[in-house]
Amino acid sequence: QVQLVESGGESVQPGGSLRLSCVGSGFTFSNYWMYWVRQAPGKGLAIVSTIKSDGGTTTYADSVKGRFTVSRDNTKNTVYLQMNSLKPEDTAMYYCAGSYFQVYGGDLLDPRNFDAWGQGTQVIVSS
């Protein structure tokens, strides 16, 4: 069965760092595009970052460029999101998602367009 399990979310002070992890199973992880999507309290889904199956292409939302870094280790079926210089506006539930064919544009905001979707990990940035 296709499964994604996120971890690493916690409460942190502004300016702090966190690394989120997402482990995939039940599919050929190395063939899949992977994504980080977040949902802030009371708001809709927002794409944070994408990474191609081989890790050779990455994209970031403007709000996190220069602060967040996405990476993957296909030998461990894991994708990471290193988050530095965290701000209160980064507070959200962070979801990991995967797809065989690239999902882009408005389709990124609908979980039904992905082949796999995790349960989320909560990040709270507050002093």
Side-chain angles (χ1 to χ4, degrees), residues 11-60:
S11 294
V12 64
Q13 292 189 339
S17 297
L18 285 175
R19 188 176 81 155
L20 306 184
S21 299
C22 171
V23 180
S25 61
F27 62 102
T28 306
F29 184 86
S30 59
N31 288 345
Y32 278 61
W33 286 80
M34 297 300 296
Y35 313 79
W36 287 99
V37 181
R38 69 185 181 185
Q39 186 167 26
K43 297 188 177 180
L45 293 172
I47 185 68
V48 175
S49 183
T50 67
I51 184 167
K52 192 179 177 182
S53 54
D54 63 0
T57 300
T58 59
T59 65
Y60 298 93

Side-chain angles (χ1 to χ4, degrees), residues 36-112:
W36 287 99
V37 181
R38 69 185 181 185
Q39 186 167 26
K43 297 188 177 180
L45 293 172
I47 185 68
V48 175
S49 183
T50 67
I51 184 167
K52 192 179 177 182
S53 54
D54 63 0
T57 300
T58 59
T59 65
Y60 298 93
D62 288 343
S63 58
V64 306
K65 278 181 182 176
R67 300 188 298 122
F68 290 11
T69 303
V70 63
S71 62
R72 64 191 296 161
D73 184 342
N74 287 340
T75 66
K76 296 181 179 180
N77 287 0
T78 303
V79 61
Y80 304 97
L81 185 68
Q82 177 67 44
M83 306 187 296
N84 299 329
S85 302
L86 283 161
K87 304 175 181 181
E89 50 264 44
D90 294 318
T91 295
M93 183 70 79
Y94 283 73
Y95 298 96
C96 169
S99 67
Y100 186 81
F101 295 106
Q102 185 183 6
V103 177
Y104 48 89
D107 288 347
L108 287 164
L109 303 182
D110 187 343
R112 295 172 298 180

